[in-house]
Amino acid sequence: MTLKDTLVPSFAQMLGALSTWLAKAEQHFEPAQAAEILQARLAPDMFPLFTQVCFACVQAQEAMARLNGQDFPEAIAALRGEGVDAGAKPWTIADAQARIADTIAIVEAAADGLADVADEMPIAHALPMGMVFDFTAAQYARDWAIPQFYFHVMTAYAILRAQGAPLGKIDYVGHLLPYLRPGTMPGGR
């Protein structure tokens, strides 16, 4: 299995799910409440929902660029900045949806470049505070890119649930339904 086989479907499926959750929230809440939900947090010291969306998108975009051996485009820094400064302006669910759609397009466009990335390719991952992690491409994907991405996606899901969005487990794992053996759905479906 290649990095492309692992990362591209994971990023695309879960970003698509995140988009669906936001759409469900927008349909469920009054317009003013739907906009306010983007500032909701799980805990006072955590980033709000809009930031979680931005950071999930940043993680996917950074992984695609880094593994393709590319410098990060300015758009990643801008997206990260929007997330960090989420309270600086009133964001909308349409804004969040646009970030997700852009990221899915970037992931899909960069996918072919991952097909030939060697698992052993060295990756130096520097954090803003000066820490540097030395990974192989496979380690980076497994131990950094995927967990960081899912942290932000799952936090977004949890914020939406905590705010009363009508989401359940099936919304989180809906991408698995094509693998469901016929006749094994509870209730005989």
Side-chain angles (χ1 to χ4, degrees):
M1 183 174 274
T2 66
L3 292 172
K4 176 183 175 182
D5 296 333
T6 301
L7 293 175
V8 175
S10 294
F11 291 156
Q13 288 168 352
M14 294 313 295
L15 287 167
L18 180 56
S19 177
T20 300
W21 307 336
L22 289 169
K24 282 183 124 176
E26 188 171 39
Q27 291 172 355
H28 177 73
F29 296 113
E30 296 296 324
Q33 189 180 13
E36 289 174 11
I37 204 167
L38 292 170
Q39 294 303 318
R41 302 167 188 259
L42 283 181
D45 66 339
M46 291 182 77
F47 283 115
L49 176 59
F50 187 76
T51 302
Q52 301 301 333
V53 171
C54 289
F55 286 3
C57 293
V58 165
Q59 292 300 323
Q61 290 184 34
E62 281 187 357
M64 299 308 284
R66 183 171 278 121
L67 290 167
N68 276 303
Q70 301 167 344
D71 291 334
F72 293 161
E74 286 296 317
I76 292 176
L79 184 59
R80 183 182 296 107
E82 289 176 354
V84 169
D85 296 331
K89 74 175 235 177
W91 297 100
T92 65
I93 289 181
D95 294 326
Q97 293 284 26
R99 298 330 178 257
I100 293 167
D102 289 348
T103 301
I104 291 171
I106 288 166
V107 166
E108 290 174 347
D112 287 340
L114 295 183
D116 297 325
V117 174
D119 286 349
E120 301 79 26
M121 180 179 80
I123 299 283
H125 179 54
L127 299 180
M129 74 280 294
M131 296 169 57
V132 178
F133 292 91
D134 290 313
F135 295 117
T136 65
Q139 290 165 336
Y140 168 76
R142 180 192 68 220
D143 299 335
W144 182 271
I146 292 172
Q148 292 295 321
F149 171 77
Y150 273 93
F151 172 84
H152 295 293
V153 170
M154 191 60 224
T155 301
Y157 176 88
I159 291 169
L160 287 165
R161 283 289 312 262
Q163 294 299 308
L167 301 175
K169 182 74 174 218
I170 193 65
D171 296 294
Y172 189 76
V173 298
H175 63 280
L176 296 175
L177 291 177
Y179 306 110
L180 182 66
R181 183 179 292 171
T184 63
M185 178 79 87
R189 292 182 245 171

